[in-house]
Amino acid sequence: MKRPLRDRPDTGHVNPRHPLRRLLRYGRAYRQQVWMASICSVLNKIFDLAPPALIGAAVDVVVQQDASLLARVGVRGTFAQLSTLALLSLIIWGLESAFEYAYERLWRGLAQKMQHQLRLDAYEHVQELELAYFEERSTGDLMAVLNDDINQLERFLDVGANDILQVLTTVVAIGGAFFVLAPQVAWWAMLPVPFVLWGSIAFQNRLAPRYAEVRDRASFLNARLANNLSGIATIKSFTAEDSELERLARDSDAYCQSNQRAIALSSAFVPLIRIVILIGFVATLLVGGLAAVDGQMAVGTYSVMVFLTQRLLWPLTSLGQTLDLYQRAMASTQRVLDVLDTPISIPSGQLALPVQTVCGEIDLRDVTFSYRDAQPVLEQFSLHVPAGKTIAIVGATGSGKTTLVKLLLRLYDVDAGTIALDGTDIRRLRLQDLRRAIGWVNQDVYMFHGTVLENIAYGSPEAGFDDVVAAAKMAEAHEFVSCLPKGYYTIVGERGQKLSGGQRQRLAIARAILRDPPVLILDEATSAVDNETEAAIQRSLERITRDRTTIAIAHRLSTVRNADCIYVMDRGKIVERGRHEELLAINGIYAGLWRVQTGLQTMEMDRKR
């Protein structure tokens, strides 16, 4: 179920250089599970560090016997002391295993929940952005954000968060034990820790821009692949396979190079840290050994410190891999949360509009609109469409016809003026209600990968099989669908590539018919069909448009000659209006277009020759 934007976790308006802070603010809803997973990680590490202490106690029992620490607390006899240590070992190992199982499940479960919800939230937010956002970004780039970047965050939550907690627990627990057992040696054991932490921070700051570049290169590569796979037919027809392979190779090489620059730096972390750690280990070995020989430290305590020094320092080398995961995840988190922070420039209104109450009267008053950084497409444009009438809008390409459709659906918002449906400004209406009231048959028909049945019923999930068939018959699609290998259950392929352009267009008309909207927009609805199919569709459209507000946008004037009123647009303005016969009588732009399309002008020129 989708969560309304107002109910989503707050990403906050924080400094974009701190993606972790933004992620923590987003993850407030998972606070309880984070605490539980963190506690299990800490307890697992504490019990994991206990066996060296048991080994030291065992050595103490063997060497000191009745003078050992266990004897001093009341456990007498060597066998009893060793049995006690054996029982403690079983308990500690059991608890360590139990908490390891718990933190594995909790962290991985948290990773799954967060990546799932983050992907849904990001996708839902993207769906609510204006059309201009998609025109300025590639599909591959968005795919990289919604898939690869979120998966990168999941990998870090799977293991990285637990590793960081356990390293911190190790430093605190062992450091505290050292200062209690042998403060004179503890300083040497703890000496490398500040240098390791300082080195980690320094590497993090230098790695961050390199991994940001890696994610950007990955997006470019995804964009190239998505673009080429979508246009594979064009690539083949122009025999451009070799040149596209070279372009892909350049993008892939750029991605590899950026990754190698990041790897070259991150790989240096562990060897450098090992040298620092080795100094602390050798110092503990020598200084502690001399203290044990001089009798300043018990042999058992010395053995515990040697074991714990290794347990303290060597795990710090894993910070390199953890740091690598962290920086990749933060670079990805930055990109995902930037998408979530993209403002919605076309907010939904709050006024409900039940579809059954819509009459379909449309009124555009003094509308001005321009695409970003471009000249106005419409300027002081006004148009009135009576309810239940069919009007046609014709004109040359670029005159603003399709822009009107996008404004009616609020895919864009007007710069000035108003558009009203049944007397109500459409900006006050709920977006879903507005778009449910309008059926749009676009000239660029999009079919989803699925069956014919699913594509016709798209947007009308409550429709039954008989309803789908009835809509297909009205759209003159039933006959060709019945001839398909599996009829209505035939897979149409991605973007409907298994169907012809005319077949896709008839399915799109059937889709709109099934939805039964009070307002129907036909944007070049018969542009991809032959003359015979066009005539059949025209007959069905006469039935479909009856008692329904219909706006037909067409280049082929034969499809709109029966409209109640035809508007001729030129450069964003209405220059002629009237019925078909009236416009022919005016002998203006419409009449000239009519003569060109029907061949009359060509015939007249032939006579003059």
Side-chain angles (χ1 to χ4, degrees):
M1 181 180 293
K2 296 198 302 182
R3 288 191 288 175
L5 283 173
R6 60 181 179 274
D7 294 335
R8 296 181 193 161
D10 177 26
T11 60
H13 298 285
V14 297
N15 192 326
R17 291 176 296 178
H18 297 87
L20 179 59
R21 288 171 58 194
R22 300 173 70 189
L23 179 64
L24 291 174
R25 293 190 67 174
Y26 177 86
R28 284 176 177 175
Y30 309 98
R31 186 179 303 169
Q32 182 178 358
Q33 188 166 347
V34 170
W35 275 108
M36 290 177 62
S38 300
I39 290 170
C40 289
S41 293
V42 170
L43 290 175
N44 167 260
K45 178 50 64 176
I46 289 174
F47 285 113
D48 179 54
L49 294 172
L54 295 177
I55 293 173
V59 171
D60 192 39
V61 168
V62 172
V63 174
Q64 302 286 344
Q65 297 186 10
D66 289 338
S68 68
L69 177 64
L70 284 177
R72 289 198 296 270
V73 297
V75 181
R76 300 293 179 180
T78 303
F79 178 78
Q81 293 176 32
L82 292 176
S83 298
T84 300
L85 291 176
L87 179 61
L88 288 173
S89 297
L90 289 173
I91 295 172
I92 288 171
W93 279 71
L95 289 173
E96 178 196 354
S97 299
F99 283 117
E100 181 174 2
Y101 171 77
Y103 83 65
E104 286 273 2
R105 286 206 60 177
L106 287 169
W107 279 121
R108 291 188 177 184
L110 177 66
Q112 291 299 314
K113 287 180 182 178
M114 282 195 71
Q115 65 89 16
H116 170 72
Q117 194 58 57
L118 188 58
R119 182 177 287 111
L120 290 183
D121 287 346
Y123 177 70
E124 181 180 8
H125 187 74
V126 165
Q127 285 192 127
E128 298 186 22
L129 296 175
E130 72 280 8
L131 206 57
Y133 178 84
F134 301 94
E135 295 171 348
E136 294 168 1
R137 297 192 66 168
S138 70
T139 302
D141 184 31
L142 285 172
M143 285 291 293
V145 172
L146 295 173
N147 192 44
D148 295 346
D149 285 326
I150 292 177
N151 287 343
Q152 197 69 54
L153 174 61
E154 178 194 353
R155 293 186 195 104
F156 171 70
L157 290 175
D158 270 345
V159 295
N162 172 70
D163 288 347
I164 291 174
L165 277 173
Q166 294 208 334
V167 166
L168 291 175
T169 303
T170 299
V171 170
V172 173
I174 294 181
F178 275 15
F179 283 106
V180 170
L181 294 173
Q184 70 276 22
V185 181
W187 295 108
W188 293 100
M190 298 297 292
L191 182 64
V193 174
F195 293 97
V196 171
L197 296 178
W198 172 82
S200 299
I201 295 171
F203 266 81
Q204 173 187 329
N205 292 335
R206 297 194 64 183
L207 274 171
R210 299 196 182 195
Y211 278 124
E213 182 187 3
V214 169
R215 295 315 309 155
D216 287 341
R217 294 293 184 186
S219 292
F220 293 148
L221 187 59
N222 265 353
R224 175 75 65 198
L225 288 168
N227 189 59
N228 286 11
L229 291 175
S230 298
I232 192 68
T234 303
I235 292 173
K236 287 179 176 293
S237 65
F238 282 88
T239 61
E241 292 93 339
D242 291 341
S243 62
E244 288 299 336
L245 181 60
E246 290 176 6
R247 293 169 70 185
L248 180 64
R250 286 196 297 271
D251 286 344
S252 182
D253 183 63
Y255 171 69
C256 289
Q257 293 296 329
S258 62
N259 241 325
Q260 286 174 4
R261 285 191 289 272
I263 291 169
L265 183 59
S266 65
S267 298
F269 179 81
V270 173
L272 292 175
I273 294 303
R274 278 180 181 270
I275 301 301
V276 177
I277 288 172
L278 180 62
I279 295 172
F281 180 74
V282 170
T284 304
L285 195 68
L286 290 174
V287 176
L290 292 173
V293 170
D294 291 341
Q296 299 174 13
M297 181 189 303
V299 176
T301 301
Y302 173 63
S303 63
V304 170
M305 291 200 68
V306 171
F307 274 113
L308 288 181
T309 300
Q310 188 177 19
R311 297 295 298 273
L312 167 67
L313 299 179
W314 289 116
L316 295 179
T317 60
S318 67
L319 278 178
Q321 183 180 4
T322 304
L323 184 64
D324 190 78
L325 281 174
Y326 172 78
Q327 283 301 343
R328 289 178 182 270
M330 291 305 100
S332 296
T333 298
Q334 179 75 56
R335 287 161 47 82
V336 177
L337 295 181
D338 280 349
V339 169
L340 272 172
D341 285 345
T342 304
I344 296 173
S345 60
I346 303 183
S348 175
Q350 299 301 316
L351 188 61
L353 181 72
V355 174
Q356 62 272 18
T357 66
V358 176
C359 297
E361 181 184 19
I362 298 172
D363 194 18
L364 292 86
R365 295 181 185 177
D366 301 323
V367 169
T368 298
F369 173 78
S370 62
Y371 294 99
R372 189 171 299 178
D373 301 324
Q375 293 295 318
V377 179
L378 302 173
E379 197 165 7
Q380 297 292 308
F381 182 90
S382 296
L383 174 66
H384 179 71
V385 183
K389 298 296 183 179
T390 297
I391 69 143
I393 301 175
V394 301
T397 300
S399 60
K401 304 184 301 298
T402 300
T403 297
L404 283 176
V405 177
K406 293 177 180 178
L407 291 175
L408 282 172
L409 288 163
R410 288 198 71 201
L411 299 176
Y412 294 92
D413 261 345
V414 298
D415 298 332
T418 60
I419 300 177
L421 176 60
D422 290 345
T424 302
D425 190 330
I426 61 174
R427 286 172 293 195
R428 297 180 55 208
L429 301 174
R430 288 174 50 190
L431 268 176
Q432 286 191 335
D433 289 352
L434 171 67
R435 291 169 183 169
R436 283 195 188 103
I438 300 175
W440 181 26
V441 181
N442 191 6
Q443 56 182 317
D444 183 19
V445 177
Y446 191 91
M447 292 284 122
F448 294 90
H449 184 73
T451 65
V452 172
L453 180 71
E454 290 168 341
N455 272 280
I456 294 178
Y458 188 79
S460 305
E462 73 286 348
F465 181 80
D466 293 339
D467 299 322
V468 171
V469 172
K473 287 180 178 178
M474 290 190 71
E476 302 289 336
H478 178 70
E479 185 176 348
F480 89 79
V481 171
S482 300
C483 295
L484 294 175
K486 295 183 180 179
Y488 284 88
Y489 296 97
T490 301
I491 300 292
V492 302
E494 190 173 1
R495 299 184 66 91
Q497 60 186 348
K498 293 185 179 181
L499 304 176
S500 69
Q503 289 172 333
R504 290 197 296 269
Q505 210 147 28
R506 279 180 275 175
L507 292 186
I509 294 172
R511 181 192 291 169
I513 292 169
L514 184 62
R515 200 170 187 185
D516 193 27
V519 178
L520 181 63
I521 299 176
L522 305 171
D523 189 357
E524 300 290 346
T526 59
S527 61
V529 298
D530 54 37
N531 291 333
E532 182 179 351
T533 305
E534 179 189 339
I537 291 177
Q538 275 303 119
R539 290 193 299 271
S540 67
L541 288 178
E542 290 177 6
R543 299 192 302 272
I544 297 165
T545 59
R546 194 173 299 138
D547 300 324
R548 189 195 312 269
T549 303
T550 305
I551 299 175
I553 295 174
H555 281 106
R556 295 164 73 168
L557 304 184
S558 58
T559 61
V560 298
R561 60 184 301 176
N562 295 323
D564 295 311
C565 187
I566 300 172
Y567 296 88
V568 182
M569 289 188 66
D570 183 43
R571 299 180 182 180
K573 298 183 181 295
I574 295 175
V575 293
E576 296 177 8
R577 69 184 68 196
R579 294 183 65 85
H580 174 70
E581 295 78 8
E582 296 170 351
L583 292 174
L584 290 180
I586 295 173
N587 199 27
I589 295 176
Y590 182 87
L593 292 172
W594 178 259
R595 285 194 296 270
V596 169
Q597 291 189 17
T598 57
L600 294 176
Q601 193 173 68
T602 304
M603 292 171 60
E604 290 175 1
M605 292 177 65
D606 289 342
R607 289 195 195 99
K608 290 178 181 179
R609 291 174 185 169

